[in-house]
Amino acid sequence: MDRPELALQQLYAFAVLAEELHFGRAAERLGIAQPPLSQQIRRLEQKVGHALFDRGSGGVVLTPAGHELLPAALHALDEVAGGLRAARRIGDGLAGRIRIGFAASLALTVLPGILRAYRERYPEVEMEIREMTTAPQVAALRERAIDVGLLREPPGEQGLAMEPILAERFVAVLPAGHRLAAQRVVPVAALAEEPFVLLPRAAGPTVHDRILDVCREAGFEPRVGQHAVEWQTVSALVEAGLGVSLAPASIRRIRLSGVVHRRIDPDTARTVVAMCWREGEGNPLVTRFLEAARGGARR
């Protein structure tokens, strides 16, 4: 980068004098005495190599060189002022681009409220939304591919901070014609002989293990017949009669005519939804997103 020939202070003094065409009034606007203003203009003229003003008893007028320099000076001053404003807004977290990972099931619960709350507060920030399961989100945070994650059952990871925003109960997901579909509450033990449709452990290790624990506490090891990466697919496979499932209660918003959702007994297990970000994160966009998300999650 080349060193600039002209100082912004001199360009600003030149632009003000070009508007006022009077040293006294220009100096007053600039908040300086007339001699320092004259010195700045002389230095600028020395760098240009030509006079920029014709001085007269009644004031000053621009020379041809001054007329030529003025548009460039005004443009440069506007560019710098605009750059400063943009930099301040970026530094304040009021503009820029934030990358957000989210688990697909959160689109059925807290995600819309969180994104709406953030958009209302910071309309100039561009949001890049990426649908990802838990394990890929954690990897993306570590690789700085996303700035914040909204995920289910985040594993305890060194270097990552986590804040729970929702605890959901589990429900049984059954085909509409299932023998237990008529019951309002389904004992977990009653599912012992059923094939299960579950998320693969690699997609969400903690929530996968939480479901296995619910079954084990009921006295059996679930027999997994099918795996599906998203809860929408889990519901579709249940509707097709390929098994039953235990899933977060938000799955009830996936309305398929051939699927019913029932409370389970015991109903003590919960699955946690959390925000996750890098510890010591200095990005003001992340700080403001977390603040907005706390309110949006309660909508």
Side-chain angles (χ1 to χ4, degrees):
M1 182 178 64
D2 295 334
R3 180 177 178 179
E5 289 189 54
L6 305 180
L8 284 175
Q9 185 178 7
Q10 293 173 0
L11 283 181
Y12 183 58
F14 164 71
V16 172
L17 182 57
E19 183 175 336
E20 295 293 342
L21 296 177
H22 189 281
F23 272 94
R25 291 195 300 269
E28 185 177 353
R29 273 184 58 182
L30 292 166
I32 60 176
Q34 189 169 327
L37 172 59
S38 298
Q39 291 171 8
Q40 290 189 41
I41 298 301
R42 279 197 297 271
R43 292 191 191 101
L44 182 58
E45 289 176 327
Q46 288 170 359
K47 290 178 181 177
V48 173
H50 296 279
L52 299 173
F53 297 94
D54 282 331
R55 282 80 165 168
S57 58
V60 295
V61 294
L62 284 165
T63 65
H67 277 292
E68 184 66 25
L69 179 60
L70 182 58
L74 293 175
H75 178 73
L77 292 168
D78 285 343
E79 286 290 303
V80 171
L84 286 173
R85 286 193 298 269
R88 290 186 182 111
R89 294 188 71 75
I90 293 288
D92 290 338
L94 303 177
R97 184 165 173 260
I98 187 169
R99 300 161 302 171
I100 305 163
F102 76 97
S105 63
L106 303 192
L108 306 173
T109 54
V110 295
L111 182 68
I114 287 174
L115 297 184
R116 186 165 54 250
Y118 186 65
R119 171 62 68 215
E120 289 171 356
R121 292 192 192 186
Y122 308 109
E124 294 182 38
V125 177
E126 177 187 353
M127 289 189 288
E128 180 182 324
I129 313 298
R130 302 182 186 181
E131 183 178 327
M132 311 168 75
T133 52
T134 295
Q137 279 197 62
V138 171
L141 282 166
R142 290 201 172 282
E143 294 164 5
R144 296 187 174 273
I146 61 174
D147 302 304
V148 63
L150 299 169
L151 41 80
R152 190 177 294 279
E153 298 292 350
E157 293 276 337
Q158 187 175 4
L160 296 182
M162 184 267 289
E163 180 178 325
I165 54 176
L166 176 68
E168 278 190 84
R169 59 168 36 97
F170 287 96
V171 296
V173 187
L174 310 171
H178 193 274
R179 60 185 176 83
L180 299 173
Q183 299 183 202
R184 294 182 60 185
V185 179
V186 172
V188 176
L191 303 175
E193 302 303 320
E194 302 285 345
F196 272 69
V197 181
L198 293 179
L199 267 65
R201 191 175 189 279
T206 310
V207 69
H208 179 275
D209 292 348
R210 186 70 54 86
I211 292 172
L212 295 188
D213 288 342
V214 170
C215 295
R216 288 165 181 159
E217 288 171 7
F220 70 96
E221 190 75 21
R223 176 168 56 90
V224 180
Q226 298 289 335
H227 283 109
V229 175
E230 303 295 350
W231 292 111
Q232 291 89 332
T233 310
V234 169
S235 295
L237 296 182
V238 170
E239 183 181 38
L242 299 183
V244 301
S245 189
L246 295 176
S250 57
I251 201 171
R252 292 178 295 190
R253 295 195 179 186
I254 303 173
R255 301 190 181 280
L256 299 177
S257 59
V259 175
V260 297
H261 308 98
R262 298 291 181 259
R263 294 186 64 172
I264 60 173
D265 180 30
D267 185 21
T268 54
R270 296 292 183 269
T271 174
V272 174
V273 173
M275 300 184 291
C276 199
W277 65 96
R278 289 177 290 275
E279 285 184 349
E281 179 63 72
N283 187 345
L285 291 171
V286 172
T287 301
R288 292 191 179 273
F289 179 84
L290 297 175
E291 292 170 354
R294 293 180 184 109
R298 292 191 291 269
R299 290 191 175 186

